[in-house]
């Protein structure tokens, strides 16, 4: 929030570069930042991690951070996609909103960040959006993120979420963190509820990410 208050995109980019160098020093290649959800309530337990109540400012700040981070060949991970508006019960809370509010407020910052900075990875949120978990939301991950915005990177879940691994994979959430449910995917392949082609789409994205990091 303090960084966003500077309105200084060059500064944010420089901080991203400096942080990425520290990530390298620790022999890591992915940094789980920036977080850019909306300050919907002053009581949100994650507000310290988010930039602003304004989607335009949030998007511009996040884009600058991603540019700085990825200039050092470190993958940035904008999060939590999307509508993570509170901390309490966020693995089961359902964000009910209109498509207009979703697009103009809660997705706009992510859209700006994706289109301007081309982050390599996006992290989905724990919460449900209009009855569908963010990590299982085909409209959000395949329709909007990839189809409309042109995102071509990797999508990962937040840690130990309550989503179904097979449904997440089908929706476009490529990796379930931290360890996933490989036995669930094998069951899907055997029962033919999950096709090899669907699995290969995510495997290809993962391999492309590994090659970029090399």
């Amino acid at each position: 929030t303090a960084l966003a208050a500077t309105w200084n995109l060059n500064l944010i980019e420089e901080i991203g570069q400096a942080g990425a160098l520290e990530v390298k020093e620790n022999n890591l290649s992915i940094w789980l930042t920036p977080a850019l959800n909306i300050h919907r309530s002053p009581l949100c337990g994650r507000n310290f991690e988010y930039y602003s109540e304004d989607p335009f400012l949030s998007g511009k700040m996040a884009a600058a951070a991603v540019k700085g981070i990825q200039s050092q060949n470190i993958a940035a991970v904008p999060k939590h996609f999307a509508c993570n508006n509170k901390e309490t019960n966020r693995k089961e809370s359902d964000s009910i909103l209109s498509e207009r509010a979703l697009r103009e407020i809660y997705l706009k910052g992510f859209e700006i960040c994706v289109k301007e900075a081309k982050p390599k990875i996006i992290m989905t949120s724990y919460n449900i959006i209009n009855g569908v978990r963010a990590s299982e939301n085909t409209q959000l991950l395949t329709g909007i993120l990839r189809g409309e915005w042109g995102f071509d990177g990797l999508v990962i879940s937040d840690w130990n979420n309550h989503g179904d691994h097979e449904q997440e994979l089908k929706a476009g959430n490529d990796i379930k963190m931290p360890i996933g449910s490989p036995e669930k995917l094998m069951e899907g392949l055997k029962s033919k509820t999950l096709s090899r082609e669907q699995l290969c789409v995510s495997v290809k994205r993962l391999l492309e990410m590994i090659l970029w990091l090399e």
Side-chain angles (χ1 to χ4, degrees), residues 22 25 35-36 53 77 85 96 103 124 144 193 199 205:
E22 187 171 335
E25 283 188 16
L36 64 147
E53 76 282 2
V77 188
N85 300 326
I96 306 294
R103 288 178 176 272
T124 52
I144 296 175
T193 57
L199 187 63
R205 292 177 187 141

Side-chain angles (χ1 to χ4, degrees), residues 44-163:
C44 176
R46 282 291 182 101
N47 278 356
F48 70 92
E49 194 175 4
Y50 301 145
Y51 291 111
S52 171
E53 76 282 2
D54 180 77
F56 179 75
L57 178 59
S58 297
K60 298 297 281 189
M61 292 289 132
V66 169
K67 288 176 184 176
I69 294 165
Q70 295 190 165
S71 71
Q72 305 303 311
N73 209 56
I74 298 296
V77 188
K79 59 184 184 179
H80 305 88
F81 191 62
C83 301
N84 185 71
N85 300 326
K86 65 175 188 172
E87 188 72 8
T88 303
N89 192 37
R90 68 188 183 120
K91 290 187 179 182
E92 293 298 331
S93 64
D94 193 348
S95 300
I96 306 294
L97 69 168
S98 68
E99 183 172 358
R100 181 176 181 180
L102 177 66
R103 288 178 176 272
E104 292 185 0
I105 301 173
Y106 300 100
L107 295 185
K108 180 55 68 175
F110 286 98
E111 180 181 4
I112 293 169
C113 181
V114 166
K115 289 182 175 180
E116 291 191 3
K118 302 188 185 310
K120 293 296 180 180
I121 306 175
I122 294 284
M123 181 191 290
T124 52
S125 54
Y126 284 127
N127 54 281
I128 300 163
I129 303 172
N130 291 335
V132 181
R133 291 192 179 279
S135 61
E136 300 176 5
N137 198 314
T138 305
Q139 180 184 14
L140 185 67
L141 305 182
T142 298
I144 296 175
L145 178 62
R146 291 194 167 97
E148 295 183 23
W149 300 350
F151 177 75
D152 60 359
L154 202 64
V155 175
I156 67 173
S157 76
D158 206 340
W159 266 237
N160 295 307
N161 70 355
H162 291 172

Side-chain angles (χ1 to χ4, degrees), residues 157-174:
S157 76
D158 206 340
W159 266 237
N160 295 307
N161 70 355
H162 291 172
D164 179 90
H165 196 171
E166 182 179 334
Q167 297 307 314
E168 289 176 339
L169 192 73
K170 290 178 179 179
N173 193 113
D174 302 300

